[in-house]
Amino acid sequence: MKILMAVLVFLLSVSAVQARETLTIYTYESFVSEWGPGAKIKESFEKACDCTVEWVGLGDGVAVLNRLKLEGSNTKADVVLGLDTSLTAEAVATGLFGKHGVDRTLAKTPEPWADDVFMPYDYAHFAVIYDTEKMTTPPKSLDELINGDPTQKIVLQDPRSSTPGLGFLLWMKSVYGDKAADAWTRLQPRILTFTPGWSEAYGIFTKGEATMVLSYTTSPAYHMVAENSSRYQATAFSEGHYLQIEVAGLIEASPEKALAQKFLSFMMTPGFQDFVPTYNWMLPAGATHEALPEAFGKLVVPSKTLLFSAEDVAKNHRAWVDEWLNALSK
């Protein structure tokens, strides 16, 4: 009888585990890296939902959207986290996403949030980060970056796979317009390489292989807080800085749609947002309990924000990437 009871208890426990809902979330690799916020957010949400969160890390943000396009209606994703506003119109055009159903006024972004398909979870401006031990006079504008010493190299990300890479392409386009191709050609001697994503680029930079890297105005906070170092700093550009707002959305046909909506609502609460500043090193776009570390008060504040609409990017994305490719092939 005792053996029978033990077997029954075991079978019931297995059944209970199997009955737990699983939420599959596609995101970019750095979000679920050992230093990223993924593990903390997973633990926090699982306590609230009595479910299991399964992260799927897929390179950088553009790579996540490319994966969705390949999978189409066969995607295993319930939630997609890690696109940004430069990709949202293109993502909606896939027909895969449904309305989030979250109160949009919960979003704390530089402009009032009006999107009923995607909700933001963090934001920051792109910036050129430089090594103060190798560069005493950093560029103060895109023009100075383009026309500066070609022996002082910058690492950039590929706009075909990376949201920061696409962000820099849009930054160049917003400043130079029809002359962007010429600007890319002139910048080419300063470019050490293009990497598939942000992590690879920042790793090359911190290993000392380049003097500069494209990252965020918030990136120096990591070094100040985690390493007690002011070695790596952002430089303020006179033309202004391009803004990135990162977002998440749910797959309309997901069998876990209700759970996905619950996650997007949870995303705006301190259970998610408190991990944004010191794990993703961005500014929170929802409610927090934790105050920002003192280092965030020492960061570059752009004099001007640059941002194309999602519709403008979707309409011109291919042409602008082709322009970039052609300019660098000369």
Side-chain angles (χ1 to χ4, degrees):
M1 180 62 74
K2 288 183 178 179
I3 294 175
L4 178 59
M5 289 298 294
V7 170
L8 286 172
V9 169
F10 173 75
L11 291 174
L12 287 171
S13 64
V14 169
S15 177
V17 170
Q18 291 176 337
R20 283 168 63 96
E21 295 174 293
T22 297
L23 188 71
T24 301
I25 306 176
Y26 284 10
T27 189
Y28 48 83
E29 286 181 349
S30 64
F31 196 88
V32 291
S33 67
E34 61 180 342
W35 62 85
K40 294 289 186 182
I41 290 168
K42 170 183 168 71
E43 179 183 4
S44 182
F45 185 61
E46 286 180 346
K47 288 178 180 177
C49 71
D50 190 29
C51 66
T52 299
V53 171
E54 180 179 325
W55 295 111
V56 178
L58 299 169
D60 215 324
V62 180
V64 174
L65 180 56
N66 291 341
R67 171 71 170 267
L68 281 176
K69 289 179 177 179
L70 285 172
E71 293 180 342
S73 60
N74 294 319
T75 185
K76 303 299 183 184
D78 302 307
V79 171
V80 177
L81 183 151
L83 306 181
D84 65 17
T85 53
S86 65
L87 296 172
T88 52
E90 194 172 340
V92 168
T94 66
L96 295 174
F97 290 90
K99 293 184 177 181
H100 53 65
V102 181
D103 181 358
R104 293 177 302 190
T105 64
L106 296 174
K108 301 181 185 302
T109 49
E111 296 292 333
W113 193 251
D115 195 326
D116 61 2
V117 176
F118 294 96
M119 283 296 289
Y121 61 92
D122 67 21
Y123 66 94
H125 291 82
F126 292 113
V128 170
I129 306 298
Y130 70 101
D131 185 340
T132 63
E133 294 184 3
K134 295 183 176 181
M135 177 177 275
T136 55
T137 308
K140 299 294 185 182
S141 65
L142 278 174
D143 269 344
E144 287 187 15
L145 175 68
I146 288 169
N147 298 307
D149 182 356
T151 67
Q152 294 183 317
K153 302 291 187 181
I154 185 169
V155 185
L156 298 173
Q157 299 85 8
D158 192 323
R160 295 168 297 181
S161 57
S162 165
T163 49
L166 179 57
F168 189 73
L169 183 147
L170 298 176
W171 193 355
M172 291 278 280
K173 194 67 182 177
S174 64
V175 171
Y176 292 105
D178 293 341
K179 298 179 180 179
D182 175 65
W184 276 112
T185 301
R186 289 186 288 121
L187 176 61
Q188 188 170 13
R190 295 202 85 172
I191 302 171
L192 177 67
T193 189
F194 287 94
T195 62
W198 176 89
S199 297
E200 301 94 327
Y202 212 79
I204 290 172
F205 169 68
T206 54
K207 288 176 183 175
E209 297 178 33
T211 309
M212 298 171 286
V213 66
L214 175 70
S215 192
Y216 299 90
T217 54
T218 49
S219 297
Y222 165 77
H223 300 285
M224 287 187 274
V225 173
E227 299 175 345
N228 195 29
S229 171
S230 298
R231 177 176 176 176
Y232 304 115
Q233 293 295 322
T235 177
F237 277 10
S238 58
E239 303 99 337
H241 291 242
Y242 202 86
L243 176 66
Q244 181 182 58
I245 303 174
E246 295 193 293
V247 302
L250 59 84
I251 300 299
E252 175 67 22
S254 164
E256 304 294 349
K257 184 178 177 181
L259 184 59
Q261 288 178 314
K262 185 173 182 179
F263 178 83
L264 294 181
S265 294
F266 170 82
M267 192 174 71
M268 308 313 297
T269 70
F272 183 112
Q273 292 291 315
D274 281 347
F275 300 113
V276 166
T278 55
Y279 285 88
N280 217 36
W281 301 99
M282 299 280 277
L283 294 167
T288 60
H289 286 147
E290 300 293 330
L292 289 174
E294 182 182 352
F296 278 77
K298 302 176 182 179
L299 302 176
V300 162
V301 178
S303 59
K304 181 181 179 181
T305 290
L306 306 172
L307 187 67
F308 284 112
S309 71
E311 291 72 24
D312 280 344
V313 178
K315 182 172 62 176
N316 296 288
H317 189 173
R318 184 182 295 275
W320 289 347
V321 169
D322 286 346
E323 177 183 66
W324 163 77
L325 283 169
N326 292 333
L328 295 180
S329 66
K330 294 178 180 179

